Amino acid sequence: MKLSRAASWFLLAFGVWTWFIWVSFVRNLWKNGSGLAFDTAGDPTAYFWVHLTLAVTSFLLGTAVGAIGLRGVLALRRASRSGAEGGAA
């Protein structure tokens, strides 16, 4: 299967965006002082574990989607280089 240039860049950007958003979210979750993420004893609550699981899942999916996009971008670059080299010879 061959991805278009737009689809490849979109998938790569989506992967990067996912990491940016979820890293920010986990950082905010870890520093949460509202009592949702940690109880009064400082132990993680169910809210914390559910949202950490969501974040890890999103990291994994974002990485997979970004890797597909990166492979598409690299394949397009290789194809354009080989086409330019083949036409110049």
Side-chain angles (χ1 to χ4, degrees):
M1 182 174 144
K2 192 172 183 181
L3 294 173
S4 69
R5 182 175 310 278
S8 296
W9 279 108
F10 175 78
L11 292 174
L12 181 58
F14 183 84
V16 170
W17 176 255
T18 299
W19 269 86
F20 175 75
I21 290 300
W22 285 100
V23 166
S24 300
F25 179 82
V26 168
R27 190 178 309 126
N28 291 334
L29 180 65
W30 198 263
K31 292 190 246 177
N32 184 277
S34 69
L36 287 174
F38 298 97
D39 61 16
T40 54
D43 297 325
T45 62
Y47 176 90
F48 174 84
W49 291 115
V50 166
H51 286 83
L52 185 63
T53 301
L54 287 171
V56 169
T57 302
S58 292
F59 287 143
L60 294 174
L61 292 173
T63 300
V65 167
I68 292 168
L70 180 62
R71 288 181 66 186
V73 168
L74 294 176
L76 288 168
R77 283 189 178 174
R78 279 192 301 272
S80 69
R81 273 195 212 135
S82 66
E85 291 172 2

